[in-house]
Amino acid sequence: MQVSSSPLSTPDPSALLRYYFNLTDGETAIRDEEGVEASSLQAAVISAMEAVEELRAQDLSHSDEWQGWRLEIVDAAGRAVQSIPLDSSASH
C-alpha cells in the first residue's frame, strides 16, 4: 500500500474561495453579485486593490464622487473581511 502525502501539506490549487467586492458609503451599498475566486484572502485583497486602482484611474474628474466610499471584501459566508477606502490616494 502506498501512502500519499497529506492534503494539508500542499495547497490545493483547485480549492478556490469566493469573495465579493461590495461598494458602500455606509448608507448606500452596491453589491457584487458575481464575486471572484481566489486562492486566499491575500489574493483577494490584491485583486481588490487592482479594482480600486482601476476605479480611481477611470475618471479623475469624478474622484470626489468616491469621497467616503469603500470597497468591502466579503467572504462566502457574508462576513466583511477587509475594507479599502476609495477616496484615499495611497495605493497600499
Side-chain angles (χ1 to χ4, degrees):
M1 175 191 284
Q2 259 187 323
V3 177
S4 63
S5 63
S6 167
L8 298 176
S9 63
T10 306
D12 181 359
S14 66
L16 296 175
L17 304 169
R18 184 160 296 273
Y19 293 95
Y20 300 88
F21 298 166
N22 297 334
L23 297 172
T24 184
D25 66 355
E27 294 180 18
T28 304
I30 302 170
R31 296 180 53 87
D32 174 7
E33 299 295 335
E34 186 176 323
V36 298
E37 289 184 333
S39 57
S40 66
L41 175 57
Q42 182 178 1
V45 169
I46 291 168
S47 294
M49 290 301 297
E50 291 169 355
V52 166
E53 291 305 317
E54 285 180 30
L55 281 172
R56 289 178 184 159
Q58 277 182 1
D59 190 350
L60 297 177
S61 65
H62 288 59
S63 62
D64 288 346
E65 292 181 11
W66 293 117
Q67 201 68 21
W69 284 79
R70 65 188 177 277
L71 182 148
E72 287 187 341
I73 302 173
V74 178
D75 66 13
R79 294 180 300 242
V81 293
Q82 185 83 24
S83 181
I84 302 167
L86 296 182
D87 57 3
S88 171
S89 60
S91 59
H92 290 235

